[in-house]
Amino acid sequence: MLELCNISFGVSEDSRQKEILKNISLKLEDNRFTVITGPNGGGKSTLAKVIAGIEKPTEGKILWDGEDITDLSVTERAKLGISYAFQQPVRFKGITVFDLIQLASGQKMSVEDACHYLSEVGLCARDYVRREVNASLSGGELKRIEIATVMARNTRMTVFDEPEAGIDLWSFQKLISVFEKLHETNHGSILIISHQERILNIADEIVLIADGQLTASGSREAILPQILDKSVNRSCKVMGG
């Protein structure tokens, strides 16, 4: 279990301290599909980076199975079982899709094994396994390749920061089905930063962050109606002038 205890995060801006996260306490249970959502600029992505170890909180503690991991780096947290899926996989000249999946797994892998992961995310393995990870791949293809590496990594918790960003509608629809399958087959936890209703609809838990603060958390059944109701009210106000 991951536990955030009174987490705050701030940056210096024009000789002043700007608070991005403010005293957030949250427990993320094992084997759950959690979506963190809220208004743009509310601190969602910063919270994801704090959880992954990319950013360090200015106050508070992060506990993993009761162990304080606040000062651990992103690499050290990955070794414990917390991984962060970047919006695009790394690109080095000559690196292939097969190379990426094998590196993610941390062990020797056959082409057949790599093809299995590619097939799981809806890519024709024969066409992709030897391709270079370069500009010839679309945003949707890169997203699915990144998810294939996550499946090969098989960590206890994977953090996705707005995985729908920059992909077309068709790829987004495929992405939803991939996440559903990942949730069914992977025994680890999935944590997604998103405001997309389709992703919220497949979550077990929803966490709402606004203005750097935790404003609500709970089951999808409890939280989603509140979010949709607020969205409807905002739309009505805009239409009414």
Side-chain angles (χ1 to χ4, degrees):
M1 179 178 72
L2 184 77
E3 185 173 0
L4 308 179
C5 307
N6 307 114
I7 293 294
S8 295
F9 178 81
V11 294
S12 296
E13 192 174 274
D14 298 328
S15 301
R16 296 181 180 181
Q17 187 75 357
K18 180 182 178 182
E19 293 299 317
I20 299 174
L21 301 176
K22 306 168 187 175
N23 198 37
I24 292 178
S25 293
L26 178 67
K27 290 183 180 180
L28 298 173
E29 302 288 346
D30 293 336
N31 306 325
R32 304 291 283 171
F33 189 144
T34 303
V35 177
I36 298 178
T37 192
N40 291 333
K44 304 185 300 296
S45 291
T46 300
L47 183 59
K49 291 174 182 176
V50 166
I51 289 171
I54 297 169
E55 299 285 4
K56 183 179 177 181
T58 47
E59 292 182 19
K61 289 184 178 182
I62 303 172
L63 305 178
W64 179 247
D65 293 337
E67 176 187 351
D68 188 347
I69 63 168
T70 312
D71 294 328
L72 297 188
S73 68
V74 62
T75 302
E76 291 168 323
R77 292 188 201 191
K79 291 178 181 177
L80 289 176
I82 304 171
S83 60
Y84 182 88
F86 290 90
Q87 289 194 1
Q88 290 192 4
V90 294
R91 302 187 194 192
F92 298 110
K93 186 174 178 59
I95 195 166
T96 67
V97 173
F98 173 76
D99 295 330
L100 273 185
I101 296 174
Q102 181 168 249
L103 284 169
S105 72
Q107 57 189 357
K108 282 283 187 180
M109 178 179 286
S110 68
V111 171
E112 184 180 351
D113 290 334
C115 287
H116 167 74
Y117 291 115
L118 289 171
S119 297
E120 286 291 302
V121 297
L123 295 176
C124 180
R126 188 178 301 172
D127 293 340
Y128 285 90
V129 70
R130 293 300 186 187
R131 282 183 67 176
E132 285 194 26
V133 183
N134 56 31
S136 69
L137 295 168
S138 71
E141 288 170 330
L142 286 169
K143 283 287 193 303
R144 282 187 272 176
I145 290 167
E146 175 69 12
I147 294 171
T149 66
V150 167
M151 296 173 75
R153 203 176 301 143
N154 195 29
T155 52
R156 280 182 55 195
M157 173 176 281
T158 305
V159 182
F160 294 90
D161 186 4
E162 297 192 5
E164 71 276 9
I167 63 173
D168 57 55
L169 180 60
W170 184 87
S171 295
F172 176 63
Q173 291 169 339
K174 291 290 183 182
L175 190 66
I176 295 295
S177 63
V178 167
F179 279 130
E180 288 177 317
K181 188 165 188 178
L182 183 61
H183 187 33
E184 291 172 4
T185 58
N186 190 338
H187 298 297
S189 298
I190 299 172
L191 176 63
I192 298 181
I193 311 300
S194 180
H195 59 270
Q196 291 289 335
E197 186 178 340
R198 289 280 304 277
I199 293 180
L200 293 169
N201 270 320
I202 60 174
D204 296 319
E205 310 284 338
I206 295 176
V207 176
L208 184 59
I209 302 289
D211 191 29
Q213 297 177 301
L214 176 67
T215 59
S217 67
S219 68
R220 176 185 67 244
E221 293 79 10
I223 304 300
L224 188 55
Q226 299 178 33
I227 295 172
L228 296 179
D229 184 54
K230 289 177 182 177
S231 298
V232 169
N233 288 338
R234 280 199 300 269
S235 296
C236 290
K237 287 179 181 178
V238 170
M239 291 174 68

